Amino acid sequence: MSPAARKIVLPILAFALFIGLWELISVSLEIPVYLLPSPSAIWEGGAKLGTTLFTNTAVTLKTILLGFALSCAVGIPLGVLVSVNRLTSEAIYPLIVFLNAIPIISIAPILVVIFGTDETTRLIIVTLTAFFPIMVATATGIMDTPQEMLDLSRVAGAGPLTEILTIRLPHAVPFIFGGLRIGVTVAVIGAVVAEFVNANRGLGYLVTSSTAQFAIPTAMACVVMLAVVSVILYEAVNWTHRLLFGWSLRNDPGK
């Protein structure tokens, strides 16, 4: 078996074995469905939702993508700013770290009171959740630029902006995509938290409403769908990296 085929076949076999053991243990030990539903029960729970599962997935996916886009729009420029300007770094970075240390789930209800119950609050929660790893990865990549490359650009007469655009940012691409891979997965978490406290649609809403009715298999089906969405988005970031910035893969710390 070739290495490429092995990377595909072995995970599939391991996943199938895991599902089989889970089903066997659930059935043989007669574990109550409200404690640990079997994979077949979860499948049935998802089937009962029908198209509702997919329409609510689309709602959650919209929140994730918009929030992730805002996280990139905030995190990447901020990462560049704190890495090239010492005054900005010393003034802002400790504040950003402090704000990131606050558990987002603890302030989510407060944000609902401040910004209301519309989509704006959910986007703010997703952005606050996802922008920090993107910002840190960008700043790390910018500061990792070899000094000899910077010296060469200055000898060639490059200004600060030209240096950032032609030297620092291209060097930081692998780091940025490492942050994007983390950011897009935590954006899923942020979207679910937002829907827990402020939504009447979406997978997070379905989880809370299902558990309130003790429909645990249905709730687990929604959780499985969230995991699928997270994996697909993670691979989408990888695919984008390979397609648009394949030249940087050799130095990608996440590869």
Side-chain angles (χ1 to χ4, degrees):
M1 184 183 297
S2 67
R6 190 164 58 247
K7 289 181 179 180
I8 298 174
V9 173
L10 290 182
I12 293 176
L13 291 177
F15 183 74
L17 179 62
F18 171 73
I19 295 297
L21 287 174
W22 183 356
E23 181 75 24
L24 178 63
I25 292 172
S26 298
V27 173
S28 61
L29 298 181
E30 298 181 351
I31 300 175
V33 70
Y34 58 84
L35 292 181
L36 181 64
S38 64
S40 58
I42 294 172
W43 178 269
E44 292 173 3
K48 289 179 181 178
L49 289 173
T51 57
T52 302
L53 179 62
F54 297 101
T55 55
N56 282 272
T57 298
V59 172
T60 301
L61 184 60
K62 175 187 174 184
T63 302
I64 293 169
L65 293 178
L66 289 176
F68 179 64
L70 289 172
S71 301
C72 295
V74 173
I76 294 176
L78 196 56
V80 173
L81 187 61
V82 300
S83 61
V84 300
N85 188 299
R86 177 181 292 274
L87 182 62
T88 303
S89 177
E90 293 175 350
I92 296 179
Y93 194 74
L95 176 62
I96 295 173
V97 172
F98 172 77
L99 294 176
N100 184 71
I102 301 173
I104 191 65
I105 196 168
S106 67
I107 64 171
I110 301 173
L111 294 176
V112 173
V113 174
I114 296 174
F115 296 102
T117 58
D118 58 4
E119 182 76 11
T120 302
T121 302
R122 294 191 286 276
L123 292 179
I124 292 173
I125 292 173
V126 175
T127 303
L128 290 176
T129 305
F131 93 94
F132 188 75
I134 298 172
M135 185 206 72
V136 171
T138 301
T140 302
I142 294 292
M143 291 187 293
D144 185 71
T145 307
Q147 186 59 44
E148 56 268 22
M149 295 177 63
L150 299 177
D151 293 340
L152 182 61
S153 69
R154 289 161 188 164
V155 168
L161 182 59
T162 302
E163 180 183 285
I164 292 172
L165 295 178
T166 61
I167 304 295
R168 290 182 179 269
L169 273 178
H171 177 81
V173 164
F175 296 87
I176 293 173
F177 272 92
L180 294 179
R181 283 190 286 271
I182 298 172
V184 77
T185 52
V186 298
V188 177
I189 299 173
V192 173
V193 170
E195 290 175 350
F196 279 171
V197 299
N198 171 36
N200 55 12
R201 293 187 303 164
L203 291 174
Y205 168 76
L206 285 182
V207 170
T208 55
S209 61
S210 298
T211 52
Q213 301 171 28
F214 290 92
I216 304 303
T218 301
M220 287 292 292
C222 297
V223 172
V224 170
M225 183 60 78
L226 283 168
V228 171
V229 168
S230 183
V231 170
I232 290 174
L233 292 176
Y234 182 93
E235 289 302 325
V237 173
N238 278 336
W239 180 81
T240 303
H241 190 183
R242 289 193 297 268
L243 180 67
L244 301 180
F245 302 95
W247 49 266
S248 68
L249 288 174
R250 184 179 62 180
N251 298 321
D252 186 355
K255 292 291 183 181

